């Protein structure tokens, strides 16, 4: 049985990121939310484009007030609103009214904000002596033309898209979305849209919907292949179809040691290399990770395809995704290393946390904030088959091997999901 850290390393070592020349597309800026940038974006402009004011106030020459006993300046007749090109130069002892974003006149180097002044007729009296350069945003201060604005591998959110718009990038090159096939296995499973009533011993296939949602939240495309009975030939046929249709395949169930657990046997028959069979994690111990030879996958001819066989219990299946598969998708999709690993913080547990200590244990619950401090509330029932207990879950308490107890009021390691 492999440790969680060993499993994570094996998986990430197996993932070969998309080729930005092959696995990318050019999209309009309005269509790239949450996509991964496939090439560095260089700014063609200085930011700011020119010296401008960061405040409503008055522009002046610092040298004119540096040695004045009475901070008094003559006010020029013009005003400088934002969006107006100014060619005027300030004369000695003169200032000009300027608004936020307004372009500094020639020779001005300092702004005094409106609240620190008093205007009497055509003269301005300064209540405080300004600092040279105060409230001035200099040309190229934020970034200079020719510098990298955003690096490849960055996930594009609102701030990145806004910056790209400021740089007049109408289209950008992003990685294509990975295609992730999902197969649910088990004689007990029935589809959601079945017209027949649920019989004794049957359950709805919730994994297909939960994993599809997690995949889409990860910026990939989910390709559901439906529910497959525990029949070896039938399962093999569907696995073959999935393998030739996707970049990663996830199947749920069929990876334990039961008489009807066929996934690993079929993978070996296909010539797959099986790298992981079980992990010292709770929940989610039965985990199969395999790579298949390139000739099987018609989508990415030069790289192996990854196959994940996760447990059938719904919380276990989601745990496998949160802890291992999400990072693999991020690396495959060209995202920078920040996105490959779980985000861990510390929070106060408001109830006792318990673990047997034999496996790295993940306890689901909710993370909230009280007076700015993170607080973790665990659920009451940690059965991996109890999907109802996971409703509202946004975080997991991590109990390391040999750690059996975290008392209420102590800090716990929390994985954000």
């Amino acid at each position: 049985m492999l440790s969680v850290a060993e499993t994570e390393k094996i998986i990430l070592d197996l993932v070969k990121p998309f080729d930005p020349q092959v696995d990318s597309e050019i999209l309009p800026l309005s269509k790239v939310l949450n996509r991964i940038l496939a090439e560095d974006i260089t700014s063609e402009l200085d930011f700011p484009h020119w010296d401008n004011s960061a405040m409503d106030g008055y522009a002046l020459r610092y040298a004119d007030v540096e040695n004045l006993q009475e901070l008094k300046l003559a006010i020029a007749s013009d005003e400088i609103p934002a969006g107006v090109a100014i060619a005027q130069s300030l004369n000695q002892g003169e200032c000009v009214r300027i608004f936020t974003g307004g372009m500094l006149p020639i020779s001005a180097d300092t702004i005094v904000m409106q609240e620190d002044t008093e205007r009497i007729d055509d003269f301005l009296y300064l209540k405080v002596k300004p600092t040279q350069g105060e409230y001035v945003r200099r040309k190229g201060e934020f970034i200079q033309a020719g510098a990298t604005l955003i690096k490849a591998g960055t996930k594009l959110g609102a701030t990145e898209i806004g910056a790209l718009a400021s740089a007049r990038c109408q289209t950008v090159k992003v990685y294509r979305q990975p295609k992730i096939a999902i197969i649910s296995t088990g004689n007990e499973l029935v589809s959601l849209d079945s017209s027949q009533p649920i019989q004794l011993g049957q359950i709805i296939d919730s994994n297909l919907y939960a994993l599809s949602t997690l995949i889409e939240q990860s910026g990939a495309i989910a390709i559901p292949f439906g529910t497959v009975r525990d029949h070896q030939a039938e399962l093999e046929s569907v696995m073959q179809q999935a393998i030739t249709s996707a970049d990663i395949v996830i199947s749920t169930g069929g990876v334990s040691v039961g008489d009807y657990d066929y996934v690993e046997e079929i993978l070996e028959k296909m010539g797959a290399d099986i790298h992981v069979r079980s992990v010292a994690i709770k929940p989610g111990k039965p985990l199969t990770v395999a790579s298949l030879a390139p000739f099987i996958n018609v989508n990415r001819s030069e790289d192996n395809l990854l196959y994940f066989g996760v447990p059938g219990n719904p919380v276990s299946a989601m745990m496998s995704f949160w802890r291992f598969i999400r990072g693999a998708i991020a690396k495959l999709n060209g995202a920078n290393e920040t996105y490959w690993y779980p985000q861990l913080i510390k929070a106060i547990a408001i109830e006792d946390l318990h673990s047997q200590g034999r496996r790295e244990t993940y306890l689901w619950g909710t993370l909230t904030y009280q007076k700015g401090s993170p607080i973790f509330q665990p659920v009451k029932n940690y059965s991996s088959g109890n999907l109802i207990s996971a409703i509202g879950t946004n975080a997991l308490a991590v109990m390391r091997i040999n750690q059996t107890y975290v008392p209420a009021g102590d800090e716990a390691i929390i994985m954000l999901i």
Side-chain angles (χ1 to χ4, degrees):
M1 195 185 320
L2 297 171
S3 70
V4 170
E6 288 172 326
T7 302
E8 178 182 67
K9 184 177 187 309
I10 288 170
I11 291 170
L12 291 176
D13 285 347
L14 287 168
V15 176
K16 300 297 184 290
F18 280 159
D19 182 339
Q21 302 307 316
V22 177
D23 298 300
S24 60
E25 55 187 339
I26 296 175
L27 295 178
L29 195 59
S30 60
K31 302 295 184 183
V32 297
L33 178 62
N34 293 328
R35 300 294 292 271
I36 306 298
L37 194 61
E39 62 182 4
D40 292 350
I41 299 294
T42 300
S43 177
E44 297 181 359
L45 303 169
D46 290 317
F47 284 88
H49 308 324
W50 17 258
D51 294 352
N52 70 89
S53 175
M55 286 284 180
D56 290 346
Y58 293 84
L60 54 86
R61 305 187 324 167
Y62 179 75
D64 290 343
V65 299
E66 185 175 13
N67 297 311
L68 285 181
Q69 294 300 314
E70 182 182 23
L71 300 177
K72 174 184 175 183
L73 296 168
I75 301 174
S77 58
D78 293 334
E79 290 185 338
I80 308 175
V84 176
I86 296 297
Q88 125 185 24
S89 177
L90 286 182
N91 297 318
Q92 184 177 357
E94 191 176 47
C95 66
V96 64
R97 183 83 166 98
I98 194 169
F99 298 90
T100 302
M103 182 177 176
L104 256 67
I106 298 169
S107 76
D109 61 4
T110 300
I111 304 294
V112 59
M113 66 178 178
Q114 182 175 314
E115 294 87 338
D116 291 337
T117 66
E118 181 180 3
R119 181 171 182 165
I120 301 177
D121 298 326
D122 292 331
F123 291 94
L124 187 75
Y125 294 85
L126 280 60
K127 298 176 183 178
V128 296
K129 187 174 183 178
T131 302
Q132 187 172 17
E134 195 168 19
Y135 301 124
V136 173
R137 296 185 289 219
R138 292 293 183 189
K139 177 182 179 180
E141 178 183 326
F142 304 157
I143 190 172
Q144 295 182 351
T148 299
L149 178 64
I150 306 179
K151 291 185 176 181
T154 301
K155 187 176 183 179
L156 299 176
T159 54
E160 292 79 15
I161 291 172
L164 290 168
S166 297
R168 302 193 74 177
C169 295
Q170 297 183 41
T171 61
V172 291
K173 186 177 183 179
V174 295
Y175 287 101
R176 70 174 177 86
Q177 294 176 281
K179 297 176 181 178
I180 316 297
I182 313 168
I183 307 168
S184 293
T185 72
N187 291 334
E188 74 280 13
L189 300 178
V190 293
S191 65
L192 178 63
D193 58 0
S194 175
S195 59
Q196 300 298 319
I198 299 176
Q199 303 298 316
L200 290 176
Q202 293 182 330
I203 58 174
I204 298 294
D205 178 11
S206 62
N207 285 334
L208 206 62
Y209 293 89
L211 289 175
S212 292
T213 302
L214 290 174
I215 287 165
E216 291 173 4
Q217 287 177 344
S218 299
I221 298 171
I223 307 176
F225 275 79
T227 305
V228 183
R229 296 181 303 124
D230 291 322
H231 185 280
Q232 189 166 359
E234 183 179 341
L235 179 57
E236 182 176 348
S237 175
V238 175
M239 287 171 63
Q240 286 279 13
Q241 295 175 50
I243 287 165
T244 57
S245 304
D247 301 295
I248 290 175
V249 177
I250 304 171
S251 64
T252 66
V255 291
S256 192
V257 293
D259 292 342
Y260 299 101
D261 294 329
Y262 298 124
V263 170
E264 289 190 5
E265 184 178 342
I266 294 170
L267 287 170
E268 288 172 340
K269 181 180 177 181
M270 291 178 175
D273 293 320
I274 297 180
H275 307 274
V276 177
R277 296 179 186 270
S278 64
V279 185
I281 187 173
K282 183 178 181 180
K285 174 185 171 184
L287 174 67
T288 297
V289 180
S291 57
L292 288 92
F295 74 90
I296 295 178
N297 183 15
V298 299
N299 290 293
R300 305 178 64 226
S301 59
E302 69 274 14
D303 294 323
N304 286 357
L305 172 141
L306 276 188
Y307 190 105
F308 291 93
V310 305
N313 278 328
V315 180
S316 297
M318 297 178 74
M319 194 69 65
S320 297
F321 188 95
W322 285 325
R323 189 58 188 85
F324 301 115
I325 303 176
R326 182 169 57 183
I329 292 173
K331 184 177 180 182
L332 175 66
N333 201 20
N336 66 49
E337 197 168 339
T338 304
Y339 302 102
W340 303 356
Y341 302 98
Q343 185 178 356
L344 302 176
I345 65 169
K346 289 186 177 181
I348 300 298
I350 61 175
E351 293 184 20
D352 292 349
L353 304 177
H354 296 277
S355 166
Q356 294 177 335
R358 294 194 291 270
R359 290 180 275 161
E360 189 164 298
T361 301
Y362 291 72
L363 307 175
W364 49 102
T366 54
L367 183 74
T368 57
Y369 289 83
Q370 294 182 9
K371 297 181 179 179
S373 298
I375 305 295
F376 180 76
Q377 170 69 64
V379 302
K380 301 297 184 183
N381 185 329
Y382 287 113
S383 168
S384 60
N386 183 5
L387 186 59
I388 306 305
S389 71
I391 293 174
T393 291
N394 65 357
L396 309 167
V398 183
M399 304 280 283
R400 304 299 189 190
I401 291 177
N402 296 325
Q403 183 183 23
T404 59
Y405 177 56
V406 174
D410 277 14
E411 281 190 335
I413 299 171
I414 304 298
M415 175 178 155
L416 304 182
I417 58 172

